[in-house]
Amino acid sequence: MNMVTYGTGAADDPWILKTPPLSSEYQAWRDESVPSLVVQVGKTQLSYQLRGLEDAHAMLLSHGDWMLLGNADEGKPVKEGSLEAWARDATNPVGGYYGLRKGYRGRFANYVPPVMELLGLVELEHNARNNRVRGIVPE
């Protein structure tokens, strides 16, 4: 399980999470006003459509098996069939990137799955490289 230090997921009490390989710490919280999932990595702030949590969960349940994360920065190539490829594909439920900030719309597969794991929506691998995720039905 992803190491969560503390937090409720509110802006004034963010979740403290680690990336899938457990190598980097970051903060995440819900901003219902946009609605978005805000991710703070050092001085860099990224944001993703909040519905990405539910949409990715539904897609992973439909997929029914492990899926490679394949995370990459916006504009960088992604591995076909990976979660990152889905999160920017024109055929997904939002018709493209879930990321909201131009130039920082990538890395969905790096920062969103640990939140999904915390919420009990997915199983997530924590290897040094090539991690995978699969949807689970919450208890």
Side-chain angles (χ1 to χ4, degrees):
M1 168 70 87
N2 204 345
M3 305 294 205
V4 177
T5 309
Y6 59 88
T8 61
D12 61 352
D13 189 25
W15 292 306
I16 307 300
L17 301 162
K18 289 195 175 185
T19 55
L22 304 176
S23 56
S24 300
E25 192 173 271
Y26 67 98
Q27 297 180 11
W29 63 90
R30 287 184 171 111
D31 179 350
E32 299 291 347
S33 69
V34 174
S36 63
L37 176 69
V38 181
V39 173
Q40 186 75 41
V41 185
K43 295 182 179 182
T44 303
Q45 192 169 89
L46 301 94
S47 56
Y48 303 95
Q49 293 182 50
L50 191 57
R51 69 173 284 174
L53 295 166
E54 290 178 16
D55 290 353
H57 182 239
M59 181 278 296
L60 288 165
L61 286 175
S62 174
H63 179 69
D65 199 1
W66 289 99
M67 178 178 278
L68 188 65
L69 293 178
N71 98 79
D73 289 328
E74 179 178 354
K76 301 279 188 197
V78 294
K79 186 162 178 89
E80 192 174 322
S82 68
L83 178 62
E84 188 71 37
W86 171 85
R88 51 178 77 185
D89 191 274
T91 64
N92 71 28
V94 297
Y97 281 99
Y98 278 88
L100 295 171
R101 184 175 169 211
K102 183 128 174 78
Y104 295 89
R105 296 182 300 182
R107 297 211 165 259
F108 180 94
N110 200 47
Y111 299 118
V112 176
V115 174
M116 296 174 70
E117 181 183 40
L118 172 70
L119 298 174
L121 302 174
V122 299
E123 285 183 76
L124 180 60
E125 293 181 332
H126 296 288
N127 302 312
R129 302 179 63 106
N130 298 319
N131 287 301
R132 301 176 304 161
V133 63
R134 70 175 168 189
I136 58 175
V137 177
E139 294 179 9

